[in-house]
Amino acid sequence: MSRTKVQAHYDEVAEVYDQRYDLRQGRLYHHHLSRIILNRLPNGGSLLDLGCGTGLFIEHYLKNGDQGVGLDISPGMVRIARLRCPESDFLVGTADILPFDDESFENVASLLAFTYLKDPDAMLRESYRILKPGGRIAVCTLGRNMMTWMVPPFYKLGEWLGYRKIGVGDFGENYYSGEEMKEMYLNAGFVDVESTRCSFAHYTLSPRIFSIAQRCEPLIEGHLPLFAFNVCVSGRKE
């Protein structure tokens, strides 16, 4: 996967990115995933948000009176994030080499960015390094299942047709199952690793179907997780 290509795409869409996740169905979808991550992190403490985008998740985190730092590959996204949360620090960088000292944060989070990582194992090792003992990590991303196998071919076709849409392109994303991600967490040294599938009401659905999917979401997440789009995996540093 070309990091330059991912960076260029998100620089291009930075000004309109919030139209995807901060309006109407996208806002409900993003808030749902944010709550799932927040429920897996302890209250209080400093947070590093990897792939922070325009700062939407850090904005949620700050409502608890905590401290947040964001890192993203796209300078354009970081610029918008700084405007959204001027009290927080945002940096341009990649998750496989983090510019922070050992044991700098209580929490690490990543929302909808893990699929883009060229080296997810390095990201988890670096996250372990910069977490304080007892610190926690929670990642929520599109998972590999019967509902998502068609996404990469669709995005490749969209790029070929010149369909200019946020996130649409041949970026070589990797989709993982919860078990695959759990194994990566354990290899990085994390303990108390837990995985759950979540989200059935995807923002791309028509309004009527989205409303029905929202009502079905608790049933899907609780009893039919194979139909959920996303996977959330959390762990703790001893």
Side-chain angles (χ1 to χ4, degrees):
M1 180 193 316
S2 169
R3 289 176 176 170
T4 302
K5 187 174 182 180
V6 174
Q7 176 185 320
H9 173 77
Y10 281 96
D11 280 343
E12 181 181 351
V13 301
E15 294 289 344
V16 297
Y17 183 81
D18 287 352
Q19 295 178 16
R20 180 175 187 173
Y21 290 130
D22 201 30
L23 292 174
R24 298 180 291 277
Q25 293 176 183
R27 182 180 180 87
L28 295 172
Y29 170 73
H30 193 278
H31 280 204
H32 180 62
L33 300 184
S34 296
R35 285 193 297 269
I36 290 171
I37 289 185
L38 289 171
N39 287 339
R40 283 155 179 76
L41 299 176
N43 292 328
S46 56
L47 168 85
L48 174 61
D49 182 9
L50 298 175
C52 64
T54 60
L56 286 169
F57 179 74
I58 284 185
E59 185 176 47
H60 285 291
Y61 193 77
L62 293 178
K63 291 178 181 177
N64 296 324
D66 301 315
Q67 298 176 340
V69 175
L71 182 141
D72 199 280
I73 196 173
S74 163
M77 302 290 267
V78 165
R79 180 176 57 81
I80 301 298
R82 287 170 176 162
L83 295 175
R84 179 187 299 278
C85 302
E87 67 275 36
S88 297
D89 292 327
F90 293 92
L91 300 86
V92 177
T94 59
D96 54 349
I97 304 177
L98 296 176
F100 305 104
D101 294 334
D102 295 355
E103 301 181 2
S104 298
F105 295 89
E106 277 86 13
N107 297 307
V108 171
S110 183
L111 180 57
L112 300 175
F114 197 79
T115 57
Y116 289 120
L117 294 177
K118 184 177 181 180
D119 191 345
D121 293 309
M123 172 271 197
L124 291 170
R125 289 193 301 268
E126 280 287 272
S127 296
Y128 188 92
R129 178 183 66 80
I130 59 92
L131 275 172
K132 296 179 180 180
R136 296 192 64 86
I137 180 174
V139 172
C140 189
T141 190
L142 202 64
R144 191 183 77 242
N145 70 346
M146 60 186 298
M147 305 294 289
T148 59
W149 67 269
M150 67 189 77
V151 174
F154 173 79
Y155 281 0
K156 288 181 181 179
L157 177 62
E159 180 178 288
W160 183 74
L161 294 173
Y163 184 57
R164 307 187 71 81
K165 194 77 171 179
I166 296 169
V168 175
D170 184 10
F171 303 116
E173 298 104 313
N174 293 304
Y175 300 101
Y176 305 95
S177 69
E179 290 303 315
E180 288 171 327
M181 290 182 65
K182 284 177 66 175
E183 183 176 356
M184 285 189 277
Y185 273 55
L186 293 170
N187 289 338
F190 290 104
V191 298
D192 298 337
V193 179
E194 298 180 355
S195 170
T196 184
R197 296 205 66 88
C198 55
S199 179
F200 184 62
H202 199 264
Y203 74 95
T204 56
L205 299 172
S206 68
R208 179 174 295 181
I209 300 299
F210 182 86
S211 179
I212 296 172
Q214 269 195 309
R215 293 195 292 271
C216 297
E217 204 159 50
L219 172 65
I220 297 296
E221 293 177 342
H223 302 285
L224 299 168
L226 286 177
F227 290 96
F229 289 99
N230 294 83
V231 60
C232 181
V233 183
S234 59
R236 178 175 62 85
K237 177 178 179 176
E238 283 191 304

